[in-house]
Amino acid sequence: MKSFTTVTGVVAPMDRANVDTDMIMPKQFLKSIKRSGFGPFMFDELRYLDVGKPDMDCSKRAKNPDFPLNFERYQGAEILLARENFGCGSSREHAPWAIEDYGFRAMIAPSFADIFFNNSFKNGLLPIVLDAAIVDELFKEMYATEGYQLTVDLEAQLIRKSNGDEIPFEVDAFRKHCLLNGLDDIGITLQDADAIRKFEKNWQQKSPWLFGAMQ
Amino acid sequence: MAGKTLYDKLWDAHLVKQRDDGTALIYIDRQLVHEVTSPQAFEGLRLAGRPLWRSDANLATPDHNVPSLKSERDGGVAGIVEDISRIQVQTLDDNCDEFGVTEFQINDVRQGIVHVIGPEQGATLPGMTVVCGDSHTATHGALGALAHGIGTSEVEHALATQCLIQKKMKNMLVKVEGELNPGVTPKDVILAIIGEIGTAGGNGHAIEFGGSVFRNMSMEGRMTVCNMAIEGGARVGMVAVDQTTLDYVEGRPFSPKGEDWDKALEYWHTLHSDDDAVFDRVVEIDAAAIVPQVTWGNSPEMVTGVNGTVPKPDDIADPSQKAAIERALDYMGLTGGMSITDIKLDCVFIGSCTNSRIEDLRAAASVAKGNKVADTVKRVLVVPGSGLVKKMAEKEGLDKIFLDAGMEWREPSCSMCLAMNSDKLGEGEHCASTSNRNFEGRQGFGGRTHLVSPEMAAAAAIAGHFVDVRDVINA
């Protein structure tokens, strides 16, 4: 996993509530058995005028000129500004894979759906929850200023504006540690292999029917 | 000290280690695996040279991509026409072989939608922690299990460690008391709940469904309800264990037998919230007030009674809510103020992990019996949730009822719920669907989904537009 320390980048909008993971990554792209290459298909139905298929060369497709992520001013954006309940619906990790593959490193919204929120951290992508009023303010500033940038400092848990203003944010200590260091969860859990074995032995004694029934 | 909720009890029983940073290692009893969210997880294990922690804890089956057409299905994996779908299903078979995971392959009679076959086989049981790379995993909470959907990184994590790193959620009780009116089904109950709490209402919470309505509900009905907890924002939905649960579980292929059964019963009898348990949030809904539900927009919370109307954006004060409704009406091709019963349908889908069990098919058949699909309806698909459900339905003659009515009787798969196989809506088509999501494009590019119960779907197929199924039943 890519580590995340500080990111300064252009901010781009996804200005609607309840953006679902079907919208972020439509089902026809879930047939891949790989973990990469989803970025060009992110928001496919909103971003392009034709119907997307997995093996397409997206550079040749007609883009929807009304979709903000296609605007010149948002090209190269690394921070996605969104509304309530972003990432609701399916558990498909293809959604954060696509957002990360596209080039985003952080997302800011008043709330995220639980599974999407969790999946994002596993992929070096930082979801930041801020008060709806602050998010609204950021939307206004972003729309008003071409090339609007923010800096996300994970270590300090601060978002910095170019005028020096700072907005603090919360993040779980464990997730922060993993992101800062680019750590693999599985490796960390396996350090507790003895505790897992001990629990399992005891659990098997108490609940023998949970073991071996299917083999 | 206050008593414990069902969620508290299941959490405590599976707690391997509480860490200082607020996270915990939770032991996972069962993982269900399907072809869409597992290939990258198995690949990750291979790359890291990690074995499965416990191969006997996992059960796999292909469901999302498999064809529902018998002609395509008869050829097995090799017969799947679309290359990438075939490769994904083949990859699941290969991975299960390599890692020693029990799998019900494409044409095994036990194959089906993961959330149908888990309970059906006794592979998911009360008191278990159950995970699957699929957000509708809360279905298994109907058994009094702690079950939730996970992403592919966590699929890999659970395969490799038999644990997940979790933070405890908050407790939420959704209580529905009273008697449901005839024609009002578990699907209507959960849609009404989502309409009440909103699609983000359960975020961060584990929901327990309590009250007389759930006590009196069948196991399959409880599965329909828990299935859609995620549409109310909650990863976890559950119902306490009672005699209905035990009667359902007893005698299934992987259910405990003999001494194990007696021992299991002792534990399972404790799986309910204590009388003095404290919930962080309680929502109460009057059963008698619930009518058959129909969604009109692109979020499951955009729902109303069949006797209602589509909202008028001009009546909405909040600008972002107004914009969301305008966008939904534009996508759905509906006009604010129109009656729900004036919505005409091009297609009807009866199936999905929400409503493809035998009781759902019986309910749909009871409405379809002796009737014909309206001329204006192009297609009606009935897709059973598993090979065993299909077999049972055929034994009861339900397939004949559907076929006589002009409906198609298909092979078990997720089918048009998410249109990963060739069952898709055309652009602009309206579909009465017993599935769980009405998102834009969910059932096909430009498709327009209306979520309803199996009874309402069958009645709509016959009328060509939505009708109040209570009138059909009473007629």
Side-chain angles (χ1 to χ4, degrees):
Chain A
M1 189 173 84
K2 237 192 250 177
S3 63
F4 188 116
T5 47
T6 298
V7 168
T8 300
V10 169
V11 182
M14 189 60 208
D15 195 354
R16 54 162 107 177
N18 297 320
V19 168
D20 58 73
T21 55
D22 277 72
M23 200 182 285
I24 300 170
M25 190 70 319
K27 69 256 167 202
Q28 64 268 39
F29 306 105
L30 309 186
K31 300 185 187 194
S32 170
I33 56 172
K34 301 200 186 95
R35 213 176 177 121
S36 56
F38 294 100
F41 303 105
M42 181 189 70
F43 294 118
D44 197 86
E45 292 181 7
L46 299 171
R47 202 163 141 200
Y48 301 99
L49 294 173
D50 59 348
V51 180
K53 294 197 188 82
D55 46 4
M56 279 177 157
D57 176 359
C58 292
S59 65
K60 301 200 169 87
R61 297 172 64 193
K63 288 186 174 156
N64 175 2
D66 299 328
F67 185 56
L69 290 182
N70 289 332
F71 298 176
E72 190 52 40
R73 60 180 289 192
Y74 298 125
Q75 297 315 299
E78 291 182 80
I79 298 167
L80 184 67
L81 193 57
R83 297 287 185 183
E84 287 83 3
N85 202 28
F86 186 82
C88 63
S90 153
S91 66
R92 59 188 70 167
E93 201 160 312
H94 311 68
W97 290 340
I99 293 172
E100 195 270 341
D101 192 47
Y102 178 88
F104 286 114
R105 299 300 319 277
M107 303 170 287
I108 301 170
S111 60
F112 293 88
D114 289 354
I115 301 179
F116 176 82
F117 185 75
N118 196 29
N119 284 342
S120 296
F121 282 101
K122 316 281 184 197
N123 293 283
L125 189 58
L126 175 64
I128 299 171
V129 178
L130 296 179
D131 276 355
I134 298 176
V135 172
D136 216 39
E137 198 56 40
L138 292 176
F139 264 104
K140 282 183 189 145
E141 289 176 10
M142 177 195 60
Y143 285 134
T145 319
E146 193 142 336
Y148 184 77
Q149 293 203 352
L150 289 171
T151 295
V152 176
D153 182 342
L154 177 58
E155 178 66 57
Q157 294 183 218
L158 287 173
I159 294 170
R160 285 193 199 91
K161 298 185 183 178
S162 49
N163 66 4
D165 284 358
E166 292 180 337
I167 306 166
F169 64 88
E170 295 291 320
V171 60
D172 287 346
F174 176 72
R175 286 168 163 154
K176 177 179 175 179
H177 172 71
C178 290
L179 264 187
L180 282 173
N181 300 293
L183 293 177
D184 162 11
D185 275 4
I186 298 178
I188 296 171
T189 298
L190 286 173
Q191 290 172 3
D192 283 319
D194 288 344
I196 301 171
R197 274 190 209 100
K198 194 175 153 204
F199 173 92
E200 195 167 53
K201 202 174 159 197
N202 183 37
W203 191 230
Q204 185 167 8
Q205 266 169 11
K206 271 196 201 156
S207 319
W209 64 88
L210 295 176
F211 292 77
M214 297 195 311
Q215 274 185 343
Chain B
M1 207 175 107
K4 288 179 175 184
T5 65
L6 172 57
Y7 173 61
D8 295 336
K9 290 180 183 180
L10 292 169
W11 173 273
D12 290 350
H14 291 86
L15 180 65
V16 173
K17 187 178 176 180
Q18 181 68 53
R19 293 170 165 161
D20 299 337
D21 58 15
T23 62
L25 268 189
I26 293 294
Y27 190 80
I28 302 302
D29 294 315
R30 180 74 73 238
Q31 175 156 214
L32 301 170
V33 179
H34 65 84
E35 79 276 21
V36 178
T37 53
S38 68
Q40 296 87 350
F42 283 114
E43 183 66 11
L45 293 176
R46 247 188 311 269
L47 288 173
R50 287 176 175 137
L52 295 194
W53 182 274
R54 237 186 87 193
S55 60
D56 74 308
N58 308 289
L59 176 64
T61 199
D63 55 5
H64 285 62
N65 271 286
V66 297
S68 72
L69 264 179
K70 188 163 190 321
S71 54
E72 190 178 349
R73 193 62 172 262
D74 281 346
V77 180
I80 301 177
V81 173
E82 195 185 40
D83 289 342
I84 47 174
S85 289
R86 188 176 60 250
I87 290 167
Q88 206 170 45
V89 175
Q90 184 63 53
T91 302
L92 179 68
D93 289 357
D94 294 346
N95 282 328
C96 288
D97 272 353
E98 180 184 339
F99 286 91
V101 172
T102 300
E103 184 197 4
F104 299 155
Q105 293 190 351
I106 181 166
N107 284 339
D108 189 313
V109 71
R110 299 168 296 175
Q111 177 272 347
I113 305 172
V114 282
H115 308 310
V116 174
I117 71 166
E120 183 176 79
Q121 291 292 323
T124 51
L125 295 168
M128 274 185 170
T129 42
V130 180
V131 295
C132 175
D134 189 285
S135 58
H136 293 111
T137 306
T139 308
H140 310 273
L143 294 158
L146 175 55
H148 63 84
I150 54 177
T152 299
S153 293
E154 289 193 320
V155 169
E156 183 180 342
H157 192 281
L159 288 171
T161 70
Q162 215 54 49
C163 290
L164 286 181
I165 301 166
Q166 304 247 285
K167 257 192 122 165
K168 199 170 174 199
M169 290 176 266
K170 288 183 176 162
N171 280 291
M172 178 165 169
L173 176 64
V174 175
K175 209 169 172 183
V176 187
E177 295 280 6
E179 289 277 330
L180 291 176
N181 288 305
V184 177
T185 71
K187 181 65 163 285
D188 301 306
V189 173
I190 187 63
L191 284 172
I193 291 169
I194 294 162
E196 176 79 22
I197 68 174
T199 188
N203 280 7
H205 291 78
I207 295 181
E208 179 175 344
F209 296 100
S212 59
V213 162
F214 304 110
R215 292 270 66 80
N216 296 331
M217 198 178 270
S218 73
M219 264 328 286
E220 295 193 357
R222 295 176 190 180
M223 287 178 209
T224 299
V225 170
C226 291
N227 174 274
M228 288 187 71
I230 188 71
E231 270 63 61
R235 285 195 296 163
V236 165
M238 53 176 79
V239 176
V241 172
D242 62 8
Q243 195 56 43
T244 303
T245 322
L246 304 178
D247 291 344
Y248 177 90
V249 169
E250 190 168 13
R252 297 196 175 261
F254 301 133
S255 292
K257 315 264 179 323
E259 260 178 58
D260 277 351
W261 174 257
D262 297 336
K263 202 166 171 180
L265 280 189
E266 253 177 72
Y267 174 48
W268 295 348
H269 279 304
T270 68
L271 297 178
H272 53 80
S273 292
D274 295 331
D275 292 339
D276 56 345
V278 178
F279 288 86
D280 301 285
R281 194 173 161 207
V282 179
V283 174
E284 294 190 51
I285 292 174
D286 174 18
I290 303 175
V291 301
Q293 303 281 301
V294 179
T295 67
W296 50 266
N298 300 116
S299 166
E301 70 183 14
M302 292 175 162
V303 65
T304 189
V306 64
N307 48 2
T309 55
V310 175
K312 289 183 189 163
D314 287 346
D315 295 347
I316 309 295
D318 179 68
S320 68
Q321 221 186 335
K322 184 179 171 179
I325 291 175
E326 278 171 345
R327 194 166 44 232
L329 294 187
D330 181 49
Y331 180 87
M332 295 296 288
L334 301 174
T335 316
M338 74 185 284
S339 295
I340 291 292
T341 48
D342 286 339
I343 299 173
K344 295 186 173 56
L345 298 156
D346 303 289
C347 187
V348 174
F349 171 62
I350 298 171
S352 87
C353 57
T354 315
N355 281 127
S356 66
R357 298 179 183 82
I358 192 68
E359 289 176 13
D360 301 315
L361 301 183
R362 284 177 191 146
S366 73
V367 174
K369 194 171 184 175
N371 290 303
K372 293 278 179 209
V373 171
D375 291 342
T376 50
V377 173
K378 299 176 211 166
R379 247 179 329 162
V380 180
L381 299 187
V382 186
V383 188
S386 73
L388 291 169
V389 169
K390 180 168 187 267
K391 210 171 143 185
M392 201 186 314
E394 288 173 351
K395 205 173 155 195
E396 297 179 17
L398 305 184
D399 56 327
K400 298 257 171 359
I401 294 174
F402 294 126
L403 290 167
D404 287 348
M407 302 176 177
E408 297 179 49
W409 179 242
R410 298 289 190 100
E411 300 297 309
S413 53
C414 298
S415 181
M416 204 189 269
C417 172
L418 83 171
M420 279 192 74
N421 66 8
S422 58
D423 307 332
K424 295 179 176 62
L425 288 183
E427 203 166 344
E429 285 184 340
H430 285 269
C431 179
S433 179
T434 67
S435 55
N436 40 56
R437 290 194 175 129
N438 52 355
F439 298 155
E440 289 179 20
R442 170 84 176 177
Q443 293 191 291
F445 184 80
R448 293 161 169 169
T449 304
H450 302 276
L451 303 175
V452 289
S453 72
E455 289 91 327
M456 282 286 289
I462 288 149
H465 56 86
F466 285 115
V467 289
D468 190 336
V469 74
R470 292 173 299 178
D471 299 336
V472 177
I473 293 171
N474 293 334

